[in-house]
Amino acid sequence: MSRSGHAAMQPSGYADGFARANLPPPSQWPELIFELPELAYPPRLNCAAAFVDAHVAAGRGAHAALVGARSVLSYADLLALSNRIARVLVEDMGLVSGSRVLLRSGNNPELAACWLGVLKAGCIAVTTMPLLRARELAAIVEKAEIAAALCDHALADEMRATQAACARLRHVMYFNAPPDSAHALEPRASRKPPTFANLDSAADDVALIAFTSGTTGVPKGTLHFHRDVLAICDVLSRQVIAPAPHDVFIGTPPLAFTFGLGGLFLFPLRVGATGVLVEQWTPESLLAGIARHRATICFTAPTFYRRMAPLAAAHDLSSLRVTVSSGEMLPADTRAAWREASGLEMTECLGSTELLHAFIACRPGAVRPGATGRVVPGYRAAVLGEDGRPVPPGTVGRLAVKGPTGCRYLADARQTAYVQDGWNLTGDAYRMDEDGYFWYQSRTDDMIISAGYNIAGPEVEDVLLTHPAVAECGVVGVPDAERGQIVKAFVVLRPGRAAGEPMARELQDLVKATLAPYKYPRAVQFVAALPRTENGKIQRYKLRRGELA
């Protein structure tokens, strides 16, 4: 299939046409490729059916689908609960198909059931990081024009603050709430029949909007179709991980990260396996969880593997067969330490929210130390020069990818920067060797990647500048052995304000209280002036290099 657009799309099943109306124009889409036979999806498709309905219909309803800290849901349980939630959305909240629903929770089976219920109802899931604050959530609500939310009661405070700031957010219900509390989801759902007719959506109706930070701090919403959700399972998971129904998936990434959505939820449910969803892991508790649940497949970031390696000997990890690393570059010493501790060769993956999941992977048995891996079958990748043409092996250039999934930003001019000549440009600088292995060099933009989190420096700067003591500031990522990078703020104080540890803590606390806490500057350096270009732009590369006068 060549470059695709609105003209090639199926008639939508949605009453609310917001998502389609805000897709980029056809000329700005990446080229989409469906070469593998498993990608031949029917034109009408509600992907939720493949994750629950199909397994129950095949007689596998008693098998454990999701395991949480408080509950275990079989496939039959999950089908009934997601059907009841779909009924609440339609019958009680009055949502029409195509409505966007904000989802707020840590990883747990209830969040997964809500996600499925949203898609069954023909609505669009917008899952958000549990650490986000009201300021960040409000930007998402306004960008995606969201009128409804399902939220874990543990996150009620920020949700209420968001609702107070957003007049359009009219309907909010809470799960894991006291049953007698106002707007509790479970009591309503329990009164509904356990059956629901999934909405007749098109394969290219939007199933989810995944938000990712831009380098400017303005969030970008990436639109993904029902067929895309199945494609990442049928390409990356099938080709690289090869899961089976007896597998148990475990790991740390939030379901709001597409890395976690796939690795802990969609990949296991696609094949009738089991996913373990727990809200908070430490390296010690994750190792204990692997042993307790006899987990076979683990997804987490290099930071976690690095911290788990010295603790691994105290735990029974004999059930593990695949350990997947993504979210940041995998250092060679971390790969070696984990192999020594677990006996397993790491499966490294490179993906992006724009393509929904990973497209380059280094499989066990085909590892080239230091290389990220080779392109996953079903995708194509190249290293491009400044002229947009592929460069010879060994030459550093811009990583470009195309395949069955691709970037479609929600009403965003940055579409033309990410998609050029049919390629998705990931923002990474790579080189490719003669054997098709890709070697990471750096980011081509100013994104900070710390412990797997994407952080936009300008967003942190905006918050720091609200402090009355701050005259100006610049925020960059600097190397860190533990987290890959940390956020570092270079701050110029106003006259009469004292630099020092108390002021640094005050600024750090301000960011923690305003943005997701993982974005706060772990290092603060007070300087007399910031390096700037002749036209006044901060020279962030000088901050990264420490070239301060």
Side-chain angles (χ1 to χ4, degrees):
M1 180 177 178
S2 61
R3 189 174 305 151
S4 180
H6 292 250
M9 298 179 78
Q10 293 292 318
S12 175
Y14 292 168
D16 184 331
F18 171 86
R20 284 213 173 169
N22 285 281
L23 284 166
S27 61
Q28 296 178 10
W29 284 35
E31 182 180 358
L32 299 174
I33 301 167
F34 300 92
E35 295 174 327
L36 301 178
E38 50 265 42
L39 296 173
Y41 301 115
R44 311 303 298 178
L45 174 69
N46 188 313
C47 68
F51 298 112
V52 280
D53 305 56
H55 297 301
V56 174
R60 297 189 292 271
H63 188 68
L66 298 171
V67 177
R70 300 177 295 272
S71 61
V72 177
L73 296 181
S74 68
Y75 277 90
D77 296 333
L78 184 58
L79 176 60
L81 180 55
S82 58
N83 282 340
R84 289 185 166 112
I85 292 170
R87 284 185 177 272
V88 171
L89 294 170
V90 175
E91 298 169 6
D92 294 16
M93 300 175 78
L95 301 186
V96 300
S97 56
S99 300
R100 282 73 59 209
V101 180
L102 189 77
L103 297 177
R104 300 276 301 131
S105 178
N107 286 2
N108 55 48
E110 294 79 15
L111 171 62
C114 287
W115 192 93
L116 290 167
V118 167
L119 268 64
K120 282 173 162 284
C123 296
I124 298 170
V126 186
T127 313
T128 54
M129 291 287 296
L131 292 176
L132 294 187
R133 303 299 194 195
R135 167 177 164 149
E136 298 154 306
L137 293 169
I140 291 171
V141 167
E142 294 305 321
K143 178 94 174 182
E145 297 188 11
I146 297 171
L150 300 177
C151 179
D152 193 309
H153 192 260
L155 303 176
D157 289 346
E158 291 294 334
M159 191 74 259
R160 293 188 185 109
T162 304
Q163 191 173 17
C166 300
R168 72 168 71 249
L169 187 57
R170 299 184 298 275
H171 311 288
V172 179
M173 299 197 73
Y174 295 93
F175 53 94
N176 292 327
D180 58 347
S181 63
H183 310 296
L185 175 63
E186 285 91 344
R188 289 177 181 253
S190 66
R191 295 192 289 268
K192 301 293 183 183
T195 57
F196 184 81
N198 297 334
L199 185 100
D200 177 32
S201 47
D204 50 13
D205 270 327
V206 173
L208 65 103
I209 304 175
F211 275 85
T212 181
S213 294
T215 56
T216 62
V218 179
K220 296 174 288 187
T222 61
L223 299 156
H224 296 292
F225 299 155
H226 281 266
R227 70 168 184 237
D228 300 335
V229 176
L230 295 186
I232 62 170
C233 303
D234 298 340
V235 176
L236 174 79
S237 181
R238 179 172 175 174
Q239 299 276 355
V240 176
I241 302 166
H246 64 264
D247 278 311
V248 177
F249 289 67
I250 199 169
T252 63
L255 298 192
F257 274 173
T258 54
F259 176 50
L261 180 71
L264 301 182
F265 177 31
L266 301 179
F267 294 174
L269 267 62
R270 179 60 165 148
V271 298
T274 303
V276 178
L277 296 179
V278 172
E279 296 167 20
Q280 293 288 340
W281 292 112
T282 65
E284 182 74 38
S285 68
L286 180 55
L287 289 165
I290 291 168
R292 182 170 64 257
H293 297 291
R294 304 304 295 156
T296 57
I297 299 167
C298 180
F299 277 72
T300 191
T303 302
F304 243 71
Y305 286 116
R306 184 159 54 244
R307 294 168 63 191
M308 288 196 298
L311 307 172
H315 300 273
D316 178 9
L317 305 183
S318 60
S319 61
L320 276 179
R321 67 174 186 85
V322 177
T323 52
V324 183
S325 170
S326 191
E328 58 183 320
M329 187 182 69
L330 175 65
D333 60 343
T334 300
R335 176 185 285 279
W338 180 249
R339 182 175 59 241
E340 178 68 23
S342 68
L344 295 170
E345 188 66 74
M346 197 84 74
T347 298
E348 184 177 7
C349 291
L350 173 70
S352 72
T353 305
E354 285 82 357
L355 281 92
L356 190 54
H357 216 276
F359 38 77
I360 289 176
C362 205
R363 309 183 193 186
V367 171
R368 186 159 292 185
T372 304
R374 290 191 280 198
V375 66
V376 174
Y379 286 89
R380 299 175 190 172
V383 176
L384 305 182
E386 289 303 316
D387 60 359
R389 298 179 180 179
V391 296
T395 306
V396 176
R398 298 178 297 167
L399 180 65
V401 183
K402 61 178 69 172
T405 62
C407 177
R408 291 174 295 261
Y409 285 138
L410 172 67
D412 201 308
R414 289 169 287 187
Q415 177 75 18
T416 54
Y418 201 94
V419 176
Q420 297 179 21
D421 296 324
W423 290 101
N424 299 276
L425 300 179
T426 68
D428 299 293
Y430 264 83
R431 64 178 174 85
M432 184 181 71
D433 66 21
E434 297 279 359
D435 299 319
Y437 282 86
F438 288 83
W439 301 74
Y440 177 77
Q441 306 299 303
S442 66
R443 289 288 292 176
T444 59
D445 55 25
D446 286 327
M447 186 67 73
I448 303 165
I449 303 179
S450 181
Y453 291 104
N454 285 359
I455 303 164
E459 183 180 28
V460 182
E461 293 169 4
D462 286 346
V463 174
L464 291 173
L465 288 169
T466 66
H467 193 285
V470 176
E472 56 179 352
C473 63
V475 172
V476 299
V478 296
D480 179 74
E482 174 85 2
R483 307 177 71 84
Q485 285 183 311
I486 60 168
V487 179
K488 182 171 183 178
F490 293 84
V491 177
V492 179
L493 294 177
R494 296 186 184 278
R497 298 289 189 153
E501 187 60 31
M503 178 60 73
R505 284 198 300 270
E506 194 172 321
L507 296 177
Q508 289 170 327
D509 290 343
L510 171 64
V511 176
K512 289 180 185 178
T514 310
L515 301 176
Y518 62 81
K519 298 179 183 180
Y520 88 92
R522 292 173 181 268
V524 177
Q525 182 175 336
F526 296 102
V527 295
L530 297 176
R532 294 184 180 272
T533 63
E534 290 183 359
N535 61 6
K537 290 186 178 180
I538 297 175
Q539 294 174 306
R540 288 184 173 81
Y541 72 93
K542 288 189 175 181
L543 297 180
R544 285 190 287 268
R545 294 176 183 174
E547 297 175 3
L548 294 177

